[in-house]
């Protein structure tokens, strides 16, 4: 069993938030994540809900600001919030931009030097982390779902559609829905995956939904006052792609809301409930 | 009317969180605060609930982490979170310690040089800020209450007991209840108020309750795993002082909780409700 290092722990809504580090074999370096264990986990294994965070976030933002523990405690769900990239790898340029490198792993498996030796966030989230969670925490083995915000909304959609049997449900706040077409995505995919755009399709939700679909309705909340909406997020592209293949999508435009955690907190209850229903704890 | 500078604004639970700066005549410098206007404030003036934050906090921590907006929106309460001190005054030593000077105004009116020209947080909170709020926001003029955390719990208790007509109710999370007897309080009072301990009594909740009492029950939540409990917070001193004068006190020890915002968020609903009842919005 892999060693897990508990960095700090806080009681929260009758359960506990813990921050952990471990040596990741996938990313070939130390990685961090946060876990919320609801009070129900003291008695029995519970379903697990992953949250993938956005650009510049660490494993802390979601636990400190999203107000998710209140509802995870109500429904008896474990929450997992991984960090958004490897850190301190000494890679030239890793700290130069806020939207590439550190804090911006984009949930892909990099194929390009110098990133490929550490930036394997897709496999880390989908394969390594769930095994680790099941080994160390009271998690039900076949019950997990995933959601995320912005870059993490992109990550959640990609992980879910490519692994429908692993995730019972997916939702997203202001996701990057068409990364092949937006500046953030083009920069990240060029750097991590190289110039062959065929390799990008496996990480583009609007492409994937047309190839793969998803077994259950997708919930997306998008603020209308989000300054990244038109240039980076492009929910209309994903909406059209879903319509093309009759993929059920509940895309809700929330009037006046922006890209912040104030937006996420305002609608987190609906997202937790969406997953609680799929995970059969309602 | 004093000028108010809107720094940033975020929609939250149907209302809005705004961060403001203004030139304070009391502190003789720029001061900052945050306001949450619930959706009800669009239609009509609403009661106001002040939250005083703890050591090292700014006007942001409470709005980002306490989960108060959810319930302020439910009851129709405006929330005000002031910064914890003047900043960048160029006073020798203002940045040296995390528990004195910047981020540590202790809600007193300093009488000692070099602090007295700016560190007038008691008068700022009790007198200047409410006038400003009523001038610029849809606040009901005679309906306000106050609560706080740690140093801010101390501040809330002091403000309320010395001004019972101004505040309909008071509550606190892990307050410094006997600052004259604890290291944080002794350091702050020595520096801001000087060596004459008679002048300290006006800012010590355990002294004030014996002199003044308060017109309604006081709610205090205290985590049992709070590392500051025994040395700095001393709720048992306040409890005894309340008992001596038959002051109703609902002191709740919360098993396993610490001093963090994870603790505050877990019990914020009860505190907002405590004030909502006193402010007659329930």
């Amino acid at each position: 069993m892999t060693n897990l290092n508990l960095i700090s722990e806080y009681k929260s809504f009758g359960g506990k938030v813990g921050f952990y580090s471990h040596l990741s074999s996938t990313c070939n370096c130390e990685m961090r994540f946060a876990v919320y264990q609801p009070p129900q986990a003291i008695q029995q294994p519970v379903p697990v809900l992953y949250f993938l965070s956005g650009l510049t976030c660490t494993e802390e933002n979601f636990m400190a600001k999203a107000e998710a523990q209140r509802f995870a405690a109500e429904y008896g769900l474990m929450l997992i919030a991984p960090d958004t990239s490897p850190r301190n790898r000494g890679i030239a340029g890793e700290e130069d931009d806020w939207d590439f490198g550190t804090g911006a792993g984009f949930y892909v498996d990099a194929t390009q030097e110098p990133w490929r030796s550490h930036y394997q966030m897709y496999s880390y989230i989908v394969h390594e982390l769930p095994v680790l969670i099941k080994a160390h925490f009271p998690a039900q083995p076949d019950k997990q779902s995933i959601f995320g915000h912005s870059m993490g909304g992109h990550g959640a959609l990609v992980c879910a559609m490519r692994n429908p049997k692993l995730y019972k449900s997916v939702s997203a706040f202001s996701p990057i829905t068409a990364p092949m077409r937006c500046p953030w995505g083009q920069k990240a995919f060029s750097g991590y995956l190289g110039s062959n755009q065929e390799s990008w399709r496996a990480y583009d939700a609007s492409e994937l939904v047309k190839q793969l679909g998803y077994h259950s309705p997708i919930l997306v909340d998008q603020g209308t006052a989000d300054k990244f909406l038109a240039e980076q997020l492009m929910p209309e592209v994903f909406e059209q792609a879903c319509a093309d293949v009759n993929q059920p999508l509940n895309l809700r435009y929330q009037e006046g809301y922006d890209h912040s955690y104030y937006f996420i907190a305002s609608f987190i209850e609906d997202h937790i409930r969406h997953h609680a229903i799929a995970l059969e704890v309602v």
Side-chain angles (χ1 to χ4, degrees), chain A residues 174-175 220-224 226 229 233 235 251-254 263:
Chain A
S174 29
V220 173
D221 272 325
Q222 173 62 57
T224 63
D226 186 328
L229 175 52
L233 306 177
L251 170 58
R252 311 190 306 183
Y253 284 99
Q254 303 291 1
F263 164 57

Side-chain angles (χ1 to χ4, degrees), chain A residues 86-167:
Chain A
R87 291 178 189 269
N88 307 312
R89 291 301 90 217
I91 299 174
E94 70 182 350
E95 300 285 348
D96 290 357
D97 297 337
W98 64 275
D99 57 1
F100 187 74
T102 300
F106 259 87
Y107 307 103
V108 303
D109 286 344
T111 57
Q112 303 300 297
E113 297 294 353
W115 308 101
R116 56 179 292 178
S117 51
H118 298 295
Y119 280 66
Q120 300 290 320
M121 288 300 291
Y122 175 78
S123 290
Y124 175 70
I125 298 295
V126 172
H127 301 303
E128 183 177 2
L129 195 51
V131 172
L132 190 74
I133 295 300
K134 285 164 196 164
H136 290 273
F137 299 92
Q140 284 186 30
D142 55 351
K143 286 221 180 158
Q144 58 179 24
S145 289
I146 193 163
F147 67 150
H149 173 231
S150 194
M151 174 183 76
H154 141 75
L157 291 169
V158 167
C159 291
M161 284 193 279
R162 289 176 58 177
N163 304 278
K165 291 184 181 170
L166 295 183
Y167 301 103

Side-chain angles (χ1 to χ4, degrees), chain A residues 12 27 40 46 57 60 71 124 147 169 195 217 219 224 263 282:
Chain A
S12 169
C27 295
Q40 294 87 341
V46 296
C57 285
E60 190 193 357
F71 303 103
Y124 175 70
F147 67 150
S169 50
S195 56
L219 171 62
T224 63
F263 164 57
V282 177

Side-chain angles (χ1 to χ4, degrees), chain A residues 55-67:
Chain A
L55 289 165
T56 77
C57 285
T58 70
E59 68 282 5
E60 190 193 357
N61 303 64
F62 173 75
M63 291 295 179
K65 297 183 172 183
E67 309 194 12

Side-chain angles (χ1 to χ4, degrees), chain A residues 6 214 253 261:
Chain A
L6 176 64
Y214 191 62
Y253 284 99
Y261 271 87

Side-chain angles (χ1 to χ4, degrees), chain A residues 185-225:
Chain A
Q186 290 166 350
K187 179 176 179 176
F189 290 181
S190 298
Y192 297 134
L193 304 174
S195 56
N196 179 1
Q197 296 203 10
E198 279 308 306
S199 69
W200 298 8
R201 294 187 192 279
Y203 298 107
D204 184 296
S206 296
E207 295 292 322
L208 287 171
V209 75
K210 289 187 282 192
Q211 297 169 31
L212 303 170
Y214 191 62
H215 52 58
S216 57
I218 298 169
L219 171 62
V220 173
D221 272 325
Q222 173 62 57
T224 63

